[in-house]
Amino acid sequence: QVHLVESGGGLVQAGGSLRLSCAASGLIFRINVMGWYRQAPGKQRELVATISSGGSANYADFVKEGRFTISRDNAKNTVYLQMDNLKPEDTAVYYCHAVTQTQRNYWGQGTQVTVSS
């Protein structure tokens, strides 16, 4: 199994930055795609960004002008989400997500990101 633990959330002013981390443990060698999703209160969970085992990244349309950057560090078994120029609308619980080569889905517990205006 794969266990995901997020960290790095917090309170930041609009225009500020945060870097989220997701540490993976367990059968990490079986992980294929990893990504970040977010869910605001009363809203559906939405995809933020994904990154494949080969390093190919994809971003949601609301990420403009390179505000968010997803990356992986295989040595640390960690995926990151660098968030710059944060907006109040970015306020949400951010969840780490992983898909194994056997197409199993795993989720972290989430980390709260709050952007004040």
Side-chain angles (χ1 to χ4, degrees):
Q1 303 298 314
V2 175
H3 184 62
L4 307 173
V5 179
E6 304 99 331
S7 63
L11 175 64
V12 65
Q13 294 181 343
S17 299
L18 287 172
R19 189 179 76 159
L20 306 183
S21 299
C22 173
S25 61
L27 302 178
I28 55 177
F29 60 90
R30 305 180 71 173
I31 295 176
N32 187 0
V33 176
M34 298 188 71
W36 290 93
Y37 289 69
R38 70 184 188 185
Q39 187 169 23
K43 303 294 184 180
Q44 293 184 326
R45 187 172 298 185
E46 62 180 350
L47 184 144
V48 178
T50 63
I51 185 166
S52 71
S53 59
S56 179
N58 292 281
Y59 299 92
D61 290 339
F62 62 79
V63 181
K64 300 179 180 179
E65 300 178 352
R67 288 199 306 126
F68 292 4
T69 303
I70 189 170
S71 61
R72 291 174 78 161
D73 187 335
N74 291 329
K76 296 180 180 293
N77 301 317
T78 301
V79 63
Y80 303 94
L81 184 68
Q82 177 68 43
M83 303 186 294
D84 299 314
N85 193 24
L86 284 162
K87 308 175 185 296
E89 64 194 64
D90 295 321
T91 296
V93 177
Y94 284 71
Y95 296 91
C96 185
H97 176 249
V99 180
T100 68
Q101 295 178 1
T102 57
Q103 299 182 327
R104 299 285 184 88
N105 290 270
Y106 297 90
W107 295 91
Q109 296 296 317
T111 184
Q112 177 70 49
V113 172
T114 302
V115 184
S116 63
S117 59

